[in-house]
Amino acid sequence: MISYDISKTAERIKNLRKKAGYTQEQVADLLNVDRRTISNIEGGKKGCSVDMLLRLSELYGVTLDYLLKGDCGDQQQVLNLLGEMQAQLDMVRALL
């Protein structure tokens, strides 16, 4: 049986933000919420509404399954890998 673990979801959301290179303030601005809301979500002090989960999944390019359960289907893994490869290519191009 799978149960919802708010602290694990909070940690995934925080890690996604850091991986994307955003500050809490930037995410708050992008999602039209107060920075404290993002801080509370990432700290596991406040759960997310379905609407907020949808917005976060879209912002970070991940599935709801990943946000809620940590499941990352094959398609999502490929997309994440391609995104990382693109970022590395962009860095190489900037050096040339």
Side-chain angles (χ1 to χ4, degrees):
M1 175 178 230
I2 298 173
S3 62
Y4 175 64
D5 186 333
I6 192 170
S7 63
K8 288 182 181 177
T9 296
E11 188 65 25
R12 280 190 288 277
I13 291 170
K14 181 178 181 179
N15 288 338
L16 287 166
R17 175 183 58 79
K18 288 182 173 185
K19 183 178 175 182
Y22 292 133
T23 65
Q24 287 184 346
E25 186 71 35
Q26 289 169 320
V27 171
D29 288 344
L30 289 167
L31 299 178
N32 258 346
V33 297
D34 190 88
R35 188 204 55 81
R36 287 175 293 185
T37 299
I38 301 302
S39 177
N40 287 335
I41 290 169
E42 289 184 0
K45 298 174 187 166
K46 178 180 177 183
C48 291
S49 66
V50 173
D51 178 61
M52 181 60 73
L53 286 168
L54 288 168
R55 292 163 69 192
L56 288 166
S57 73
E58 186 174 304
L59 176 65
Y60 297 127
V62 297
T63 64
L64 291 175
D65 273 355
Y66 177 73
L67 287 179
L68 294 171
K69 301 186 301 183
D71 290 350
C72 194
D74 291 340
Q75 180 182 11
Q76 189 63 50
Q77 288 175 336
V78 169
L79 290 173
N80 288 342
L81 182 58
L82 287 173
E84 290 173 16
M85 291 170 63
Q86 183 63 50
Q88 290 175 356
L89 283 171
D90 291 343
M91 288 186 341
V92 169
R93 284 187 189 125
L95 295 173
L96 298 177

